[in-house]
Amino acid sequence: MKKSESARKTNAARLLDQAGIHYELIPYEVDENHLSADEVAAKLGEDIAYVYKTIVLRGDRNGYFVCVVRGDSEIDLKEAARISGNKRAELIHVKELLPLTGYIRGGCSPVGMKKPFPTYYQASIADLPYVYVSAGIRGLQLKISPADLIAFTGGHLF
């Protein structure tokens, strides 16, 4: 591995390395004004169906949890609450993201958060040979097998 490659390793990548899980780090040019999954897919030259975003929520009964959904999907808060065993759920405020997870908006990975949170994956992820999720910083994606990602995070499909 080249020195420049090792300097780009994120905590998420190091954890996957330690677990022996195969992945690729895929860099892309970041536009701070356009952090959407659609933009990421375009920069990667990939169909949006392969790009997933990580959303952190708070439930009224069970506390924080994570949903990983296709980049062109909107989170259904009622469904998120139901699958997580809550009556209600809300998105956390962006200011809470870094202290809670260790990640910033546009760079939140389901791998390597400060604490493990229950993680739920949109069922469509299981039909794909690979997906892209944030590697933990803006401008870098993990290309990984959905089965490996779900198993590593202890995730569940919904």
Side-chain angles (χ1 to χ4, degrees):
M1 176 182 313
K2 296 177 187 170
K3 198 173 205 176
S4 63
E5 289 176 4
S6 66
R8 298 267 317 171
K9 286 275 179 158
T10 62
N11 187 49
R14 284 188 288 277
L15 290 169
L16 293 171
D17 285 344
Q18 289 171 4
I21 295 175
H22 176 75
Y23 66 91
E24 292 176 55
L25 287 175
I26 310 294
Y28 65 96
E29 190 174 318
V30 177
D31 178 345
E32 299 293 330
N33 296 314
H34 299 96
L35 298 173
S36 73
D38 289 321
E39 282 290 319
V40 173
K43 300 272 181 167
L44 296 174
E46 276 286 354
D47 187 304
I48 190 68
Y50 293 90
V51 177
Y52 279 69
K53 56 189 176 184
T54 305
I55 301 170
V56 183
L57 302 103
R58 179 181 20 255
D60 65 331
R61 294 181 179 163
N62 299 325
Y64 298 106
F65 64 101
V66 176
C67 286
V68 181
V69 298
R70 210 171 105 156
D72 59 353
S73 294
E74 293 294 322
I75 192 81
D76 179 335
L77 295 177
K78 287 183 181 180
E79 175 73 0
R82 187 190 64 74
I83 63 166
S84 63
N86 289 286
K87 191 171 184 178
R88 286 186 312 280
E90 63 184 8
L91 300 172
I92 67 165
H93 192 279
V94 71
K95 290 179 182 178
E96 294 177 83
L97 191 60
L98 180 61
L100 183 65
T101 67
Y103 294 129
I104 60 172
R105 179 179 170 267
C108 187
S109 179
V111 177
M113 291 188 185
K114 284 183 173 183
K115 287 175 49 177
F117 296 109
T119 304
Y120 303 91
Y121 292 86
Q122 195 171 28
S124 59
I125 200 170
D127 298 330
L128 301 172
Y130 62 88
V131 292
Y132 294 90
V133 294
S134 176
I137 59 173
R138 292 176 182 162
L140 195 62
Q141 292 281 301
L142 291 170
K143 183 179 181 182
I144 188 168
S145 151
D148 287 344
L149 178 62
I150 294 164
F152 183 79
T153 60
H156 307 280
L157 295 177
F158 73 93

